[in-house]
Amino acid sequence: MPNIISVHPLVSQAGPHEVSPGDPFAEARVIAFSAEGRIAAGSCGPASGTSDSTRYPHHELIIVKGGKLILDDGIRVVTMIEGSVAVIPQGISVVWSADALAQWDFMSFAGEADPAATETGIVAFDLDAPRPPSASPSAELLISDKPQCQNRRWYADPSGEWTAGVWSSTPYHRRPMNYVYYEMMHMLAGSVEIGNGSEQETIWGPGETCLLPKGASLAWNSREDVLKIYGTWRPS
């Protein structure tokens, strides 16, 4: 398995690709990665059409790349355009419509329905909201000075294993670490080199999305401030 997986594979097959039984967007999905029968990541669209109310079959992080996607959970109507980010919790009822240009990157997680979400509905990210300070990499891993990191977790599934949010950091360089979790990362600002710490470095910049799989050993080198969307599954 590659250490880093783009959610936009150079050669991809159009749908249908159902990530969960009853997947409302199966016809438009391209799946770049899936694991353990629980998570999938890839791209979706164009997804033109409308739907009746459907009970959403999985948790899904959506990062809109173009067009317009409108989601109605009975509590509010969420209109998503390029740059919009949201999580649809598993188990809530959703009516959707999309124009002919609607496309997004996604990470889905098949877990348990979130009872609280029937009251709170879709979680739309406010990318300008303050982010509290968060832990930095351990001193044993750091090659550079200690960075200042911030994290705002916008969603966690009922088990607490799958989370999604916004993370930022000042520049830093660390040695390879062994990933004990899966992470989808979408860069909003800045760029980072990720690889095995030697000749196999890949640069990821604004607008790009990748999947870092469990079991990979990856180094990180950012020479500027970075801001990213993340979806992370830490299997118990």
Side-chain angles (χ1 to χ4, degrees), residues 36 38 109 159-162 180-182 214 233-236:
E36 303 186 37
R38 303 291 299 279
F109 174 68
S159 72
E161 294 182 3
W162 187 77
V180 295
Y181 54 89
Y182 301 90
K214 178 184 174 184
W233 179 37
R234 299 176 182 270
S236 58

Side-chain angles (χ1 to χ4, degrees), residues 17-34:
H17 294 298
E18 188 178 64
V19 298
S20 300
D23 181 3
F25 295 111
E27 294 294 329
R29 290 198 194 276
V30 173
I31 299 175
F33 178 84
S34 61

Side-chain angles (χ1 to χ4, degrees), residues 22-95:
D23 181 3
F25 295 111
E27 294 294 329
R29 290 198 194 276
V30 173
I31 299 175
F33 178 84
S34 61
E36 303 186 37
R38 303 291 299 279
I39 62 167
S43 57
C44 195
S48 178
T50 60
S51 79
D52 296 325
S53 180
T54 181
R55 194 165 295 278
Y56 218 71
H58 50 254
H59 306 278
E60 183 167 351
L61 170 63
I62 290 175
I63 304 163
V64 174
K65 305 296 287 291
K68 181 184 293 185
L69 174 66
I70 300 174
L71 304 169
D72 183 349
D73 59 16
I75 300 171
R76 70 178 71 83
V77 175
V78 178
T79 299
M80 301 186 69
I81 58 174
E82 183 176 355
S84 298
V85 183
V87 168
I88 305 175
Q90 183 173 332
I92 69 170
S93 295
V94 178
V95 176

Side-chain angles (χ1 to χ4, degrees), residues 56-233:
Y56 218 71
H58 50 254
H59 306 278
E60 183 167 351
L61 170 63
I62 290 175
I63 304 163
V64 174
K65 305 296 287 291
K68 181 184 293 185
L69 174 66
I70 300 174
L71 304 169
D72 183 349
D73 59 16
I75 300 171
R76 70 178 71 83
V77 175
V78 178
T79 299
M80 301 186 69
I81 58 174
E82 183 176 355
S84 298
V85 183
V87 168
I88 305 175
Q90 183 173 332
I92 69 170
S93 295
V94 178
V95 176
W96 65 268
S97 64
D99 67 18
L101 299 177
Q103 299 183 63
W104 60 92
D105 293 343
F106 73 89
M107 182 182 189
S108 65
F109 174 68
E112 299 178 0
D114 187 348
T118 59
E119 302 295 330
T120 56
I122 295 163
V123 180
F125 291 22
D126 178 357
L127 302 183
D128 295 322
R131 296 179 297 276
S134 64
S136 62
S138 66
E140 292 77 11
L141 288 173
L142 283 171
I143 299 171
S144 66
D145 292 337
K146 179 179 178 180
Q148 301 298 312
C149 302
Q150 298 176 318
N151 178 46
R152 186 180 183 97
R153 189 179 73 178
W154 281 95
Y155 184 77
D157 83 296
S159 72
E161 294 182 3
W162 187 77
T163 60
V166 184
W167 180 89
S168 61
S169 177
T170 55
Y172 73 92
H173 188 189
R174 65 159 170 77
R175 298 177 177 85
M177 75 172 194
N178 294 321
Y179 276 67
V180 295
Y181 54 89
Y182 301 90
E183 179 180 357
M184 189 179 84
M185 180 180 78
H186 174 81
M187 298 297 293
L188 293 172
S191 62
V192 58
E193 296 176 10
I194 304 177
N196 64 4
S198 58
E199 73 284 355
Q200 299 179 22
E201 306 294 329
T202 304
I203 299 176
W204 299 90
E208 296 181 312
T209 310
C210 62
L211 191 290
L212 312 178
K214 178 184 174 184
S217 179
L218 298 172
W220 173 287
N221 190 8
S222 54
R223 296 179 173 85
E224 57 187 329
D225 291 354
V226 295
L227 177 67
K228 71 177 184 180
I229 303 294
Y230 67 85
T232 301
W233 179 37

